[in-house]
Amino acid sequence: MDHVNHNEEPLRILAPEGHPLTRRSFISLAALGASVLAYGGAAGAAADPLSNLEKAARSSMKSAGKTSKSLYLYTWGQYDNPTTFTAWKNATGFAVQVGSYNSNEALIAKLELAKGTAGYDIVVPTGGYIPEMVAKGLLMPLDKSKIPNFKNLDPALLNFPWDKGNKYSVPKDFGTTGFIYDKTVIKKKLTSWQDFADAAKLPQVSGRVSLLDDPDDVIGIPLWIRGVDWNTLDVAKIRSANNWLIKNLAPHIKNLDSYPGATGGLVNGSYVLSQAWNGDARQALIQNPKRFAWVVPTPKTEIWVDTWALAKGAKNINTAHAFLNYVIDPHVSANEMEYTGYNTAVANVKKYLPKNTAQTDVIFLTAEQRKRMVAYVVNSSFPLRTQLYANFKAAIAS
Amino acid sequence: MLGRGLRGFVALSYVWFALWFIAPSAIMLIYAFGHTAGLTQKGLVNLNHLGLGNFWQALKYPSGPVLVASLENAVVATALCGVIAYPVAYFIARKLGPRTRAIVLLLVVLPFWTDYLLRMLGWRIFLSPLGLLYNGMQAVGWHVNYLSILDTRGAVMIGLVYNYLPLFILPLAVVLERIDPLLLQAADDLGAKPWTIFRTITFPISMAGVVAGTVLVFVPMLGDYVTPTLMGGARGLMIGSLVASEFTEGQNWSLGAAMAILLVVILVGIVAACWLLATGVRYVLARARERALARVLVTT
Amino acid sequence: MTTDTTTQGTALADEIREGAGAVVLDQVAKSFRGPTGVKMVVRDLSLSIRPGEFFSLLGPSGCGKTTTLRMIAGLEKVDSGRIFLGGVDATDLPAHARNVNTVFQNYALFPHLSVFDNVAYGLHRQHVPKAELRHRVMEALALVHMDGFAMHRPQQLSGGQQQRIALARSIVTRPSVLLLDEPLAALDLKLRESMQEELKRLQRELQLTFVFVTHDQAEAFAMSDRVAVMEGGNLVQVGSPEELYLRPATRFVTTFVGRANFIPASLVEGFSASSPDEVASRQLSESPDGEESVGAEPSIFVRPERLRLEIGDSSGQIKGPRVRGTVADKTFSGGQTIVRVKINDDVELSVTCDSASNEARDASIGGAAAVTWQPSDATLLDR
């Protein structure tokens, strides 16, 4: 199947060219915009012929031992290529049942309340939440002998502090947090988080700045600038960082928007400077490559990894392993990347991506960039951080 | 007298109500006195030792200033709803025939048959910096670089008024429609000109609808978090968003529950205070009138 | 209705020139658009009500009496014709500009105002000073014996009390004409009777023109100086209660204002004694009203209390017309007993007799009876 020419999609009302999907759907315009667009038919472009995917599904089922004929997946809305599921169904004869949530917290609450009876086999937590979920007894260990494709994974994306030895999780895709700015408004070349904060103060920029609606990424800015460990438990340092945010950034913030690219805030001129995840920023760049510049800032910034994991109480354990094996097949992985716009954890997946894919520089991080990236694990300072984040939000509103 | 079967059915409906309305509210109430389980503990809320800590926490910054801002938003938006709803309801109730009235009332609620998020998306498209309104303004020669209506308190106000307006129009239209035309004729007959009839008869009687509309609109508005989130962004923050974020990104259900309960208490307090004030003022006025009339009786 | 316009014109001018309480309707017509088309409710109605008069509009529901009242009040626009109030052409004046007040059938008290404020409503519109206003309101309430209820709400009062408040509200502004739209219809019998007296007393004391709409002839007769009977949007007859009762103009009026017996008759010339009991051969009524001609078949109309009953075959004791039949029914109602005598398949006569009389006692169902009357008590009407 040829790469679908998205320029001909008629229903594309808000989003820029390219894939409409973001890292996460959320109960917000992002979700709405994304779903509207997804229904518009943009989804479903398979990077590979479907037969390659079906082959992968069949071999995965074979290596998993005795499998059942049902599978329940609980994941972020619009976070997988529908053709991935189509091929699975063609090969196995049954469809994956997919439920969706909009935050890690919602996932945790759902599993916690159901006490193992939620009926889901596979869930998709963000790496940093895994220790909490393991402690709460919400996940079960993987049997890697049933996931032969595990060898396909890039070792650099294994053994994160949240899951040493990957006992519970298979990395799904990953990305970074950076910022994107409108070069027609900000003439100076920006490279660091300090540049971001300085630019926000400029008269033509102030009031047109957006940050991610995410406590960790927001407080990351001052911590990274100050060279403080992002995962610090030091209350004074966290408080001081938040005060810096309230003093230096709050007055200039237009909005907390996790999807400045997908929802069009950048393209339509609401924002000229936005903290963003790379996949989302890419959508603005695809739409208008000359106008925007993407920065993976110095000195430090985030690497995040979303993962596949087994839910406690899963009924279809072997089938779930088969599915995990299936999704890290290079063909399937490329198919996923084609849809989500995020780099998957499969090594050399780039080879399988269509040649004409735009803005791949934003998808694939360089070794130099990777060196500057740190991971965040939810820790005991979490309540303080969310409390301070609420203060920050109130400061923006006042 | 209800038949035995019917009585059983009514009893069942109470059980149903208790199950789906009271039980969740009770759980929230209990959660509010517990404390959130630690990140590495099992369970959502720990009920081993109950206390008021969450309520003190809920009263701390930033709840206060955000609540004040939310009250301002709700009061202004409710007033705007009233100002817009009154003439609309009056027109529907008094100027239309029964058939057209039914159609127009249907049109008033029609938008509510479509998805709430879609309607808000429509507003965002309309108001976006380079959106329909911007294009319209360009077309009529009103040039601006871009519109900055979205993601402000003003946008929240537009969203709130738009979403809650029908809730104000409907009770008001019903009350206005039910005013006996004979009352207006009686006033006319007694020498009142049209505007005087409106001022002295129609408007005072329609106050029941205004009060119903105000309560119906103000109460959910104060706790609304979807509209401010969608329309106001970070600058349109309202108290409902803070409550919601304790349940979501805060993972702090007991604090969220305490905030929600405090909000309910504040709302009940506001409504009760308004009611008491109105009753008190009416009582004082009535007493004063009675005293004045007693003097007239003595002199006649 | 066509009348000589010149005489009509001068008579109208005289009527219009009368005092403040005069109400004159000149060929007023009104129609409503209904689901079945345009319906004439009032047809070319002309009427002259004198100042200080207690005037009733009487008729069955749908006869146009309430519409007529509302046109006088200004609550309904006329299609054609003129309305004069106190000698002034008020046809185009809105209700609030007419010195005419209405008491509505269901009172139409303002539910959000106290009794005091209801009564004060009209005075406020006239910008009466506060002290005077209070005085006049309490005076009006005293007049209807409701002065103890000033601070009550209308909803707290009984129907009769609400009626009094509605009255007080209408008279307190001293209108020249008071219009009452079936004001007693919602009250029970006892209360209605006492309110009738109250209204008469008020009308006497205030010397206002009362225009009273009712479908109850007893009520109209008990209270009115003059009564206008309406039927199907037409004015049928205007006169004092006595005139209407004793000399009804049409069969409709006859039956509407009281019980009536109709005896079919043929008009013949001369007098024949050949068959004494034959209805048509007798002089049944005082006089055939000039316009009737021989061969016509009118009805003889006699009130039940003007008929006499004879039981058995005893005949000839009373001179005059006599018809024979059998007792069909006997109804005792206190002082009077109503006996129904069947003359033939088409005619049955009601006779009112004293319950203590021999006739009332002797009448037995199925027994022979005869009915007689004085020709002067009978009226000849179109059948």
Side-chain angles (χ1 to χ4, degrees):
Chain A
M1 193 201 270
D2 281 340
H3 181 68
V4 170
N5 183 352
H6 293 297
N7 292 327
E8 290 173 7
E9 288 301 328
L11 261 169
R12 202 150 290 231
I13 39 178
L14 251 194
E17 302 297 316
H19 293 295
L21 292 182
T22 55
R23 177 180 170 194
R24 291 160 190 175
S25 289
F26 180 66
I27 178 177
S28 74
L29 258 336
L32 184 66
S35 58
V36 163
L37 296 162
Y39 296 138
D48 255 326
L50 224 51
S51 61
N52 281 340
L53 305 189
E54 289 168 16
K55 212 183 291 167
R58 270 190 291 273
S59 76
S60 296
M61 285 294 265
K62 234 171 266 164
S63 58
K66 194 169 180 293
T67 52
S68 56
K69 281 282 181 190
S70 58
L71 186 63
Y72 294 88
L73 170 63
Y74 195 40
T75 184
W76 304 83
Q78 316 292 332
Y79 203 24
D80 293 284
N81 195 331
T83 56
T84 300
F85 297 122
T86 313
W88 174 269
K89 188 180 177 221
N90 291 347
T92 65
F94 71 92
V96 181
Q97 303 294 314
V98 184
S100 71
Y101 51 85
N102 53 43
S103 69
N104 283 298
E105 293 80 8
L107 165 66
I108 292 170
K110 175 94 174 199
L111 296 180
E112 184 70 70
L113 287 170
K115 308 254 180 251
T117 63
Y120 296 114
D121 300 305
I122 300 173
V123 292
V124 185
T126 301
Y129 287 81
I130 291 174
E132 178 187 351
M133 293 180 73
V134 170
K136 284 177 177 287
L138 304 178
L139 301 180
M140 59 199 280
L142 303 169
D143 178 353
K144 287 202 214 79
S145 69
K146 290 172 180 156
I147 313 175
N149 280 340
F150 207 85
K151 64 176 192 311
N152 295 342
L153 296 174
D154 180 353
L157 287 158
L158 301 174
N159 289 310
F160 272 96
W162 53 70
D163 186 16
K164 289 281 182 199
N166 284 71
K167 275 173 70 184
Y168 295 95
S169 63
V170 175
K172 178 183 187 288
D173 52 34
F174 69 98
T176 189
T177 299
F179 63 84
I180 178 170
Y181 63 94
D182 188 331
K183 287 188 283 187
T184 62
V185 177
I186 302 171
K187 308 289 186 201
K188 187 175 173 254
K189 184 173 164 59
L190 310 181
T191 57
S192 69
W193 285 116
Q194 186 61 54
D195 289 349
F196 178 88
D198 293 341
K201 293 189 180 78
L202 298 172
Q204 74 272 28
V205 178
S206 179
R208 301 172 78 182
V209 179
S210 78
L211 297 181
L212 293 169
D213 189 7
D214 184 310
D216 312 322
D217 286 329
V218 169
I219 202 144
I221 298 174
L223 292 176
W224 292 323
I225 288 177
R226 292 167 169 198
V228 178
D229 175 13
W230 191 21
N231 291 286
T232 185
L233 294 174
D234 187 328
V235 173
K237 282 180 176 158
I238 297 170
R239 281 190 185 281
S240 160
N242 200 63
N243 288 340
W244 182 92
L245 282 173
I246 290 172
K247 183 162 171 280
N248 292 288
L249 281 184
H252 312 296
I253 299 304
K254 167 83 173 170
N255 206 355
L256 296 170
D257 185 345
S258 294
Y259 312 99
T263 56
L266 282 161
V267 174
N268 70 26
S270 288
Y271 318 132
V272 294
L273 179 63
S274 295
Q275 188 187 25
W277 289 314
N278 54 331
D280 181 66
R282 177 171 168 262
Q283 301 195 4
L285 287 163
I286 289 170
Q287 177 119 338
N288 208 332
K290 294 215 169 65
R291 179 169 154 206
F292 296 110
W294 162 247
V295 181
V296 178
T298 57
K300 289 258 186 278
T301 192
E302 173 183 38
I303 181 167
W304 55 261
V305 183
D306 282 343
T307 69
W308 304 98
L310 282 182
K312 187 68 150 278
K315 300 273 188 303
N316 308 296
I317 294 173
N318 284 352
T319 318
H321 280 91
F323 186 79
L324 296 190
N325 191 61
Y326 165 69
V327 290
I328 53 177
D329 174 274
H331 295 284
V332 181
S333 194
N335 189 50
E336 288 287 286
M337 182 156 68
E338 167 70 8
Y339 183 81
T340 63
Y342 284 107
N343 198 355
T344 70
V346 173
N348 300 321
V349 67
K350 198 173 182 176
K351 282 196 303 197
Y352 300 86
L353 207 60
K355 294 285 172 288
N356 58 352
T357 306
Q359 296 288 339
T360 48
D361 288 354
V362 185
I363 300 178
F364 300 107
L365 307 173
T366 65
E368 183 274 327
Q369 288 170 336
R370 289 279 288 273
K371 235 178 279 167
R372 287 190 275 115
M373 287 178 190
V374 286
Y376 174 74
V377 186
V378 173
N379 62 30
S380 60
S381 68
F382 179 84
L384 174 68
R385 288 170 185 245
T386 50
Q387 171 63 31
L388 293 176
Y389 184 60
N391 292 357
F392 176 61
K393 283 207 284 193
I396 295 171
S398 60
Chain B
M1 279 279 283
L2 296 174
R4 185 165 297 175
L6 193 55
R7 231 179 308 165
F9 184 76
V10 170
L12 195 71
S13 71
Y14 284 121
V15 173
W16 193 252
F17 176 74
L19 197 62
W20 298 115
F21 181 78
I22 296 176
S25 309
I27 289 172
M28 277 299 119
L29 189 63
I30 295 166
Y31 274 12
F33 289 95
H35 59 96
T36 296
L39 289 177
T40 54
Q41 287 172 308
K42 296 199 174 192
L44 282 169
V45 175
N46 195 330
L47 297 174
N48 291 341
H49 25 90
L50 305 178
L52 288 169
N54 294 312
F55 291 96
W56 299 131
Q57 177 72 33
L59 286 170
K60 278 193 198 155
Y61 186 85
S63 307
V66 176
L67 179 64
V68 170
S70 307
L71 277 170
E72 283 171 12
N73 283 0
V75 167
V76 174
T78 303
L80 283 173
C81 274
V83 169
I84 298 170
Y86 203 99
V88 174
Y90 187 87
F91 179 80
I92 291 172
R94 306 298 287 281
K95 302 288 177 196
L96 299 178
R99 201 167 303 168
T100 10
R101 186 186 306 142
I103 294 169
V104 173
L105 277 177
L106 189 73
L107 288 177
V108 167
V109 292
L110 200 62
F112 290 74
W113 294 2
T114 61
D115 185 72
Y116 173 75
L117 291 172
L118 274 177
R119 283 183 283 125
M120 287 292 97
L121 176 66
W123 271 105
R124 286 196 71 95
I125 293 172
F126 181 70
L127 296 177
S128 73
L130 303 172
L132 283 177
L133 182 60
Y134 170 84
N135 288 331
M137 285 166 64
Q138 297 291 102
V140 298
W142 183 3
H143 293 290
V144 288
N145 285 336
Y146 59 93
L147 290 179
S148 46
I149 302 173
L150 269 188
D151 302 320
T152 61
R153 277 178 82 169
V156 175
M157 215 61 85
I158 291 172
L160 289 176
V161 170
Y162 168 77
N163 279 311
Y164 290 93
L165 191 58
L167 286 180
F168 211 121
I169 293 177
L170 289 180
L172 197 52
V174 168
V175 169
L176 283 168
E177 195 207 321
R178 290 214 183 135
I179 295 178
D180 188 348
L182 270 185
L183 294 181
L184 312 180
Q185 294 178 2
D188 188 4
D189 190 65
L190 289 167
K193 296 189 178 75
W195 171 246
T196 310
I197 297 177
F198 176 78
R199 189 171 54 80
T200 57
I201 308 294
T202 309
F203 188 70
I205 295 181
S206 71
M207 278 310 286
V210 173
V211 169
T214 301
V215 173
L216 228 49
V217 161
F218 178 80
V219 170
M221 238 181 214
L222 188 59
D224 190 350
Y225 82 95
V226 185
T227 310
T229 303
L230 294 185
M231 297 294 287
R235 298 206 169 268
L237 185 70
M238 283 176 67
I239 190 76
S241 314
L242 279 189
V243 176
S245 65
E246 285 306 331
F247 283 96
T248 55
E249 68 200 20
Q251 287 192 64
N252 197 339
W253 283 39
S254 54
L255 178 57
M259 289 172 80
I261 285 162
L262 267 184
L263 188 58
V264 171
V265 169
I266 287 166
L267 271 171
V268 170
I270 289 171
V271 172
C274 290
W275 181 80
L276 279 176
L277 191 69
T279 316
V281 166
R282 219 180 305 154
Y283 179 81
V284 169
L285 288 179
R287 282 297 89 84
R289 289 288 296 281
E290 255 171 33
R291 276 200 299 279
L293 283 183
R295 281 201 298 278
V296 177
L297 284 177
V298 173
T299 54
T300 35
Chain C
M1 196 187 276
T2 50
T3 327
D4 180 5
T5 46
T6 48
T7 56
Q8 171 90 14
T10 48
L12 190 64
D14 289 341
E15 287 161 359
I16 291 168
R17 272 193 296 275
E18 286 192 69
V23 178
V24 175
L25 306 188
D26 180 22
Q27 301 205 309
V28 167
K30 178 75 187 171
S31 59
F32 287 116
R33 208 181 303 274
T36 53
V38 175
K39 184 173 182 278
M40 282 295 280
V41 180
V42 174
R43 297 162 200 272
D44 291 341
L45 185 138
S46 294
L47 195 62
S48 172
I49 300 168
R50 296 191 272 271
E53 189 173 29
F54 199 125
F55 190 92
S56 288
L57 289 169
L58 175 67
S61 64
C63 72
K65 57 189 189 302
T66 295
T67 304
T68 305
L69 193 80
R70 290 171 57 81
M71 288 192 289
I72 299 172
L75 299 171
E76 218 74 76
K77 273 184 145 15
V78 300
D79 290 349
S80 61
R82 312 301 299 171
I83 292 176
F84 300 88
L85 297 173
V88 179
D89 187 345
T91 316
D92 299 321
L93 288 182
H96 56 81
R98 298 187 189 192
N99 192 18
V100 168
N101 284 353
T102 309
V103 179
F104 293 90
Q105 184 171 358
N106 54 4
Y107 326 132
L109 294 179
F110 305 130
H112 61 298
L113 298 180
S114 65
V115 163
F116 183 93
D117 289 326
N118 262 280
V119 177
Y121 192 85
L123 295 176
H124 276 302
R125 305 289 81 79
Q126 297 175 356
H127 305 291
V128 172
K130 209 170 180 178
E132 187 194 339
L133 178 139
R134 282 183 177 160
H135 183 80
R136 280 173 66 179
V137 169
M138 295 317 287
E139 201 176 50
L141 286 173
L143 203 59
V144 294
H145 308 306
M146 289 297 289
D147 36 343
F149 294 85
M151 292 318 291
H152 282 62
R153 293 258 161 178
Q155 303 91 297
Q156 297 171 299
L157 305 179
S158 71
Q161 290 172 323
Q162 291 190 31
Q163 182 60 78
R164 288 159 193 269
I165 303 307
L167 256 175
R169 184 177 70 175
S170 303
I171 58 177
V172 73
T173 55
R174 295 174 192 155
S176 50
V177 180
L178 192 65
L179 308 175
L180 303 102
D181 184 10
E182 306 225 19
L184 310 181
L187 305 182
D188 63 51
L189 182 67
K190 260 185 123 166
L191 199 54
R192 194 153 68 222
E193 282 171 353
S194 79
M195 281 302 293
Q196 284 176 6
E197 285 175 24
E198 195 109 3
L199 279 176
K200 272 166 80 174
R201 174 180 67 82
L202 270 174
Q203 197 256 342
R204 262 197 319 275
E205 286 176 15
L206 301 168
Q207 302 203 321
L208 293 180
T209 309
F210 272 36
V211 182
F212 189 93
V213 160
T214 182
H215 64 273
D216 180 342
Q217 60 86 18
E219 192 169 271
F221 280 11
M223 304 170 78
S224 313
D225 297 323
R226 285 197 301 153
V227 177
V229 180
M230 292 183 69
E231 183 199 9
N234 292 312
L235 186 62
V236 185
Q237 189 176 7
V238 185
S240 68
E242 294 81 3
E243 282 167 1
L244 291 179
Y245 189 78
L246 298 175
R247 296 281 164 216
T250 69
R251 187 168 172 147
F252 169 77
V253 177
T254 313
T255 47
F256 198 75
V257 302
R259 246 177 234 276
N261 290 299
F262 294 95
I263 306 155
S266 308
L267 215 59
V268 296
E269 202 163 5
F271 192 96
S272 163
S274 61
S275 146
D277 292 338
E278 206 177 303
V279 171
S281 66
R282 295 265 173 180
Q283 183 193 358
L284 299 173
S285 75
E286 182 84 317
S287 61
D289 294 341
E291 293 168 25
E292 303 289 347
S293 54
V294 171
E297 296 199 329
S299 282
I300 307 297
F301 141 71
V302 199
R303 296 282 176 205
E305 67 275 11
R306 309 311 303 174
L307 292 177
R308 272 298 157 68
L309 188 65
E310 287 172 1
I311 297 300
D313 294 327
S314 59
S315 60
Q317 282 173 17
I318 297 171
K319 288 261 165 73
R322 173 179 289 107
V323 289
R324 292 184 184 283
T326 54
V327 176
D329 189 25
K330 187 164 100 170
T331 310
F332 172 76
S333 61
Q336 292 181 325
T337 296
I338 295 159
V339 177
R340 297 181 63 77
V341 179
K342 185 174 178 168
I343 308 302
N344 59 36
D345 283 349
D346 296 326
V347 183
E348 220 175 62
L349 301 181
S350 288
V351 186
T352 311
C353 21
D354 192 330
S355 290
S357 67
N358 295 338
E359 292 80 20
R361 192 192 61 222
D362 296 343
S364 60
I365 293 172
V371 177
T372 68
W373 64 90
Q374 294 293 328
S376 58
D377 288 333
T379 308
L380 207 58
L381 288 170
D382 288 344
R383 194 173 283 183

